[in-house]
Amino acid sequence: MAANALVIDDEDIFIGRSKAKLRTALVIHGEPLVARSLAMILGAEAFIVETASAGAEGVSLAQQAAFDVIILGADLPDMSGLEAMNQLKLAEVTAAVVFASVTPATAAKAAMLHLSDCS
């Protein structure tokens, strides 16, 4: 096998002779341009990325698959980002959640709810 050969086997990636676990990310954001940009950035960092444009869709995806990280926008078309975070916590989603807040007040509310860690 060539030094930089890539073989995908189930959920493992083999690069040359090293083996690394694939990382998965879910981007839940109401702004399509922001969601695409985040997906591109994460993809460049070797994440397999799925996106959702609404909170309910994102929560549903998070319940169906085990993501390593979820990036959650503060303003979604169907609910607030805080409500989506609460639903993720109630659903016992174990992914790390990064809350993309646009205001310090919203970030403070998320911290008070202890929702930044959904495990």
Side-chain angles (χ1 to χ4, degrees):
M1 180 183 316
N4 292 328
L6 174 68
V7 179
I8 297 177
D9 176 26
D10 291 327
E11 289 192 358
D12 293 329
I13 247 184
F14 298 85
I15 301 174
R17 293 191 176 119
S18 65
K19 177 180 172 181
K21 192 74 169 167
L22 286 177
R23 298 176 297 174
T24 57
L26 173 61
V27 176
I28 307 171
H29 206 287
E31 294 292 332
L33 181 59
V34 173
R36 281 194 303 273
S37 297
L38 290 169
M40 287 176 51
I41 292 166
L42 289 165
E45 294 297 324
F47 277 86
I48 294 173
V49 184
E50 288 194 48
T51 61
S53 60
E57 176 190 9
V59 171
S60 178
L61 285 171
Q63 290 174 310
Q64 295 170 27
F67 292 96
D68 295 307
V69 65
I70 297 171
I71 298 181
L72 179 59
D75 295 315
L76 303 168
D78 58 343
M79 65 180 74
S80 72
L82 290 173
E83 184 178 347
M85 286 180 78
N86 193 40
Q87 288 186 19
L88 291 168
K89 183 172 182 149
L90 292 172
E92 299 181 359
V93 171
T94 59
V97 177
V98 177
F99 187 72
S101 172
V102 293
T103 66
T106 307
K109 286 178 187 175
M112 289 177 61
L113 291 171
H114 303 286
L115 296 176
S116 58
D117 180 8
C118 287
S119 59

